[in-house]
Amino acid sequence: MFVNKTHVYRFCFRFLPRISCNKRLSTQTTSSSEKIEDELHLEHTSDNFTRSIYDDHIQTSLLQKALLTIGSSVLSITDPYRHDMVAVLGETTGYVAAKQIKEKMTQDPEGSSILRDKPRINSDTLDYQFLESLPHGSLGHAYMAFLKDNNVTPDTRRPVHFVDDPELAYVIQRYREVHDLNHTLLGMPTNMLGEVAVKWIEAMQTGLPMCVAGALLGPVRFRKKQREKYLKYYLPWAVNCGSQAKFLMNVYFEKRWQQNIRDLRNELNIPDFPVES
């Protein structure tokens, strides 16, 4: 694909200053009645997320969202490691899927607790020493091992900017913050094979267009041996897991740190990964 990335970068980001300006203007012109309504809404939503999301929120029109979608999709395809563009694409295309995710969470006792409490997963909320002290085989200990082995932190997940509904913004933020926990729970590495397998499961369960695109387009970059493993082991397992496992967005991980990860997999009906021959 012959794409001048410099031109695309300019195309995508030339609108951000205008968007920020629109945000400031809209804030200045907000009527007192609208402010009262916003305050009442905030009182009914957990402060630990809703107030912070509006610090990061950037109001955009449909046209601006369309332009961001086009620019971020091109950049995501030409450079899959542009995680900032992947994040933008997820926000501008995920409205319908986020509503469906929220509905599934609302209908589940554990999922509705997550929506009510709005927990966050980052360095400010995690007790690393406690998680490391948990026994081998527990979810918390396995999660800490995953972070160390892959040299990542939960703080690498970008804040949501372009989702206008605070409840749906939290749903998208929650999806991002549990992604590494999904890797841990599923026992998938962070290489291309593992990432595509997790994307298949997330795509089947959440319907997020970004996940669907990752699942379908990710294998294009596989080498021959990777493609053989993918077709023989990873794809059948991922499809099976995505279809039969319980909805992973309903897992209140923060209340399950001490649970044995094997027991949790059985509870969630997650099939064992096939032994590679």
Side-chain angles (χ1 to χ4, degrees):
M1 179 183 296
F2 297 97
V3 178
N4 188 320
K5 293 185 180 180
T6 302
H7 291 167
V8 177
Y9 294 161
R10 292 174 179 171
F11 171 78
C12 189
F13 283 108
R14 64 184 294 188
F15 300 98
L16 291 182
R18 299 181 188 177
I19 292 170
S20 300
C21 181
N22 289 344
K23 178 188 175 185
R24 290 193 295 270
L25 289 173
S26 63
T27 301
Q28 294 170 355
T29 58
T30 301
S31 66
S32 59
S33 61
E34 289 173 333
K35 290 181 180 178
I36 293 174
E37 290 179 1
D38 289 343
E39 290 173 358
L40 290 173
H41 179 72
L42 289 174
E43 288 178 359
H44 294 284
T45 314
S46 299
D47 287 346
N48 65 341
F49 183 80
T50 305
R51 294 186 187 278
S52 64
I53 192 60
Y54 275 100
D55 290 338
D56 296 316
H57 177 246
I58 299 175
Q59 186 69 40
T60 50
S61 65
L62 289 176
L63 175 60
Q64 289 166 328
K65 281 185 172 64
L67 293 171
L68 287 168
T69 299
I70 295 169
S72 60
S73 61
V74 173
L75 287 173
S76 299
I77 293 172
T78 57
D79 186 359
Y81 295 100
R82 283 296 304 269
H83 301 297
D84 54 342
M85 291 294 95
V86 174
V88 171
L89 182 62
E91 293 174 30
T92 58
T93 61
Y95 177 78
V96 174
K99 287 185 67 175
Q100 294 172 344
I101 294 170
K102 179 188 172 185
E103 184 64 26
K104 289 182 181 179
M105 296 177 72
T106 302
Q107 295 173 357
D108 181 85
E110 194 166 355
S112 60
S113 294
I114 296 170
L115 290 177
R116 182 187 65 245
D117 300 340
K118 293 183 172 56
R120 299 295 304 276
I121 300 175
N122 53 48
S123 295
D124 293 330
T125 63
L126 295 179
D127 186 340
Y128 291 126
Q129 290 185 340
F130 167 71
L131 295 179
E132 286 183 324
S133 70
L134 294 175
H136 287 270
S138 64
L139 175 64
H141 191 277
Y143 178 57
M144 286 302 299
F146 175 89
L147 295 179
K148 285 186 175 182
D149 291 344
N150 294 282
N151 194 30
V152 296
T153 75
D155 299 324
T156 57
R157 299 302 166 188
R158 298 176 62 85
V160 175
H161 290 297
F162 302 110
V163 179
D164 299 330
D165 185 302
E167 292 289 322
L168 299 185
Y170 176 74
V171 168
I172 297 295
Q173 189 72 41
R174 178 70 178 178
Y175 159 75
R176 291 178 182 173
E177 293 181 359
V178 301
H179 177 75
D180 288 338
L181 276 161
N182 286 341
H183 270 277
T184 304
L185 181 61
L186 298 167
M188 284 290 102
T190 57
N191 57 24
M192 283 294 291
L193 284 168
E195 287 291 352
V196 171
V198 173
K199 276 291 179 285
W200 265 107
I201 296 167
E202 292 175 343
M204 294 180 67
Q205 291 206 343
T206 69
L208 287 166
M210 176 196 64
C211 296
V212 175
L216 294 175
L217 298 178
V220 174
R221 293 177 174 267
F222 287 167
R223 297 185 297 273
K224 181 180 179 180
K225 288 186 177 180
Q226 287 178 314
R227 190 173 295 107
E228 291 174 353
K229 281 188 175 183
Y230 170 70
L231 294 174
K232 187 174 182 180
Y233 301 107
Y234 286 84
L235 179 59
W237 173 81
V239 172
N240 187 30
C241 184
S243 60
Q244 74 176 37
K246 294 183 179 179
F247 192 48
L248 298 183
M249 285 288 290
N250 282 335
V251 181
Y252 206 144
F253 291 101
E254 296 86 342
K255 293 185 177 181
R256 293 173 174 266
W257 292 128
Q258 301 183 59
Q259 186 171 354
N260 182 277
I261 197 168
R262 167 59 63 180
D263 294 339
L264 181 55
R265 287 171 181 164
N266 290 336
E267 177 187 335
L268 298 174
N269 204 26
I270 295 174
D272 290 332
F273 186 78
V275 178
E276 298 181 27
S277 56

